Amino acid sequence: MSARPEPTECFDLVVFGGTGDLAHRKLLPALYHRELGGLIPEHARIIAVSRRPLSDADYRAWAQEKILAHVTDACHKVLSRFLQRLHYISVNVSEDTGWQSLEQILKGREDVCRAFYLSVSPDFFGPICQALGTHNLITPKSRVTIEKPIGKSGSTAAHVNETIGSVFKEEQIFRIDHYLGKETVQNLMALRFANVLFEPLWNSSYIDHIQITAAETLGVESRAGYYDTAGALRDMVQNHLLQLLCLVAMEPPESMAADSVRDEKLKVLKALKPMDPPSVMRNTVRGQYRAGASSDGGAVSGYLEDVQLQASQTETFVAAKAEIANWRWAGVPFYLRTGKRLAERISEIVIQFRELPHSIFKESAGRIAANKLVIRLQPDEGVKMQVMIKDPGPGGMRLREVPLDMTFAEAFQVRHADAYERLLGDMLRGNQTLFMRRDEVEAAWAWIDPILEQWAKDRTPPKGYTAGTWGPSAAIALIEREGRTWHEDTL
Ligand code: NAD
């Protein structure tokens, strides 16, 4: 029997941007599921804050509709209990109005955990934190959660961190990267550090290379304005992909304590080989999707049409080869790849082990494929270890590659908690292990900045790729010229 999580202490969770996309697609459903699991204490409240004037009743009706759209089998009794926790306050951050109403609703609850969640444009992170300070809304039990992106470069990220840090202490700041809340990502730590099997092999002597892919089939959807100022390198690589790389590559931390884990991740980021201009040109590929077909075969528009621009240098695809200059990983390439409008929606980490040093089998036994550990983050979370076995039955020694399947949904018959559900719980408990520390964010930017600078200098546009494919052919060349191929799930 697994231990059931305990409810957190009582809280007021103040969600700035409570009417936004993230709030209704992720935060409200995640909080509803926590309610369903009995994880929300009796007197806890969720206070949505946004610009337009709405009554509590209006907001509850809106939230109900949104939750029902995302949670198919909602329990009406639990939902109505959950909705009663919701309150709504109108604050206009740009006009600096409405703060008194927030003061009013929070008054007298200084002894409960007060969690601010900034689900708004990053331009508002600073002004909101400053206003919370000015209006004396920050209590010793306060904390703040901020969403990506944190800055657009190392210096702007430092500025954001500085502004928030002038009001909140580092231990009160939760920088969320929802990839870290995924079940399989945590399982990666369990696989590595709760088994004796993998760790002795987890180095350049046994691992040939590592691939980290986060592929989406969607285009920019409703986020065109944001996306065109960001691009795939800032939107995905700087945070999600580098965080995954850290978890794969870090040394065993002393314990699961937040700073033990984050210290080890930081060491990996600092050991990333900096990209000078020639290595940027050689080891990175940027692409932009053109009109093509969606995964179900329908026609889809190109990026420029989606963002309604004549021209744009923004990349919707990145492939890059990263290297870690330390004893464990010297000579082991980490191939990173992410993009929009690709052939499939897949996020996975592939650990490709080395070929056997010597085969004792005859050629007629078949090719011996090197072992592979495939950690799938989405859509179907799970872990597969590809191993060689003897093909069962008579007919001599014929070898066959089979997956040892550790697909969790089947093995454990449990509903997967969404990453936000877990991360909200961790934040309310004050556990920062799965949140990024300031120095990590800035170290990740230190590796990204030279790539952005070189791309800005290099006037060649991103390489076009047809929607529904795996990106520009240069991305295939990036890995194949080194005698390797991108992993395809063929088993
Ligand atoms: P959104 O545009 O859908 O919502 C923004 C919210 O901010 C709305 O509730 C809006 O009313 C409120 N707002 C806007 N101007 C305001 C003002 N002057 N005063 C008070 N409130 C104001 O944005 P979103 O997609 O929900 O994103 C929110 C944050 O989460 C951003 O930092 C974004 O980068 C990040 N994020 C979003 C997603 C996603 O899937 N939507 C994913 C990762 C990170």
Side-chain angles (χ1 to χ4, degrees), residues 16-23 25 49-52 91-95 118-122 124-125 147-149 178 223 226 420:
F16 285 88
T19 58
D21 178 72
L22 187 76
R25 276 194 314 110
V49 176
S50 209
R51 232 174 341 184
R52 53 186 141 128
V91 171
N92 191 324
V93 181
S94 6
E95 291 172 10
L118 309 193
S119 181
V120 288
S121 155
F124 290 142
F125 292 172
E147 271 290 344
K148 72 164 196 190
H178 70 272
R223 308 188 75 214
Y226 154 73
Y420 277 95

Side-chain angles (χ1 to χ4, degrees), residues 43 50 74 88 130 134 175 210 216 263 305 318 357 359 393 417 425 479:
H43 299 293
S50 209
Y88 183 85
Q130 298 293 353
T134 318
R175 299 176 188 84
I210 288 166
E216 295 175 71
D263 285 347
E305 204 177 319
V318 181
S359 170
I479 189 165

Side-chain angles (χ1 to χ4, degrees), residues 208-277:
D208 176 75
H209 74 275
I210 288 166
Q211 300 181 14
I212 303 178
T213 295
E216 295 175 71
T217 50
L218 294 177
V220 290
E221 310 302 300
S222 59
R223 308 188 75 214
Y226 154 73
Y227 198 85
D228 198 61
T229 62
L233 189 69
R234 290 188 178 97
D235 188 51
M236 293 295 292
V237 182
Q238 188 274 339
N239 37 64
H240 306 317
L241 269 65
L242 286 185
Q243 284 291 317
L244 296 181
L245 176 144
C246 286
L247 293 181
V248 172
M250 71 182 181
E251 294 300 314
E254 205 175 278
S255 71
M256 280 295 282
D259 279 336
S260 297
V261 173
R262 300 189 303 176
D263 285 347
E264 294 307 332
K265 280 160 59 195
L266 180 65
K267 285 184 203 159
V268 174
L269 291 165
K270 288 191 165 170
L272 279 170
K273 235 187 206 174
M275 290 254 201
D276 58 14

Side-chain angles (χ1 to χ4, degrees), residues 94-105:
S94 6
E95 291 172 10
D96 202 20
T97 55
W99 293 102
Q100 288 72 17
S101 317
L102 188 58
E103 274 177 56
Q104 204 55 39
I105 195 169

Side-chain angles (χ1 to χ4, degrees), residues 321-369:
K321 177 178 139 181
E323 290 170 278
I324 301 174
N326 67 15
W327 195 285
R328 189 188 281 259
W329 295 115
V332 178
F334 284 68
Y335 298 102
L336 313 178
R337 176 174 62 155
T338 183
K340 291 199 174 285
R341 285 263 185 259
L342 296 182
E344 268 178 85
R345 174 176 173 257
I346 283 181
S347 293
E348 66 187 9
I349 302 168
V350 178
I351 315 290
Q352 175 68 64
F353 289 90
R354 289 191 182 279
E355 301 278 344
L356 284 185
H358 167 72
S359 170
I360 61 166
F361 302 100
K362 286 191 190 146
E363 254 178 48
S364 58
R367 195 181 83 82
I368 301 181

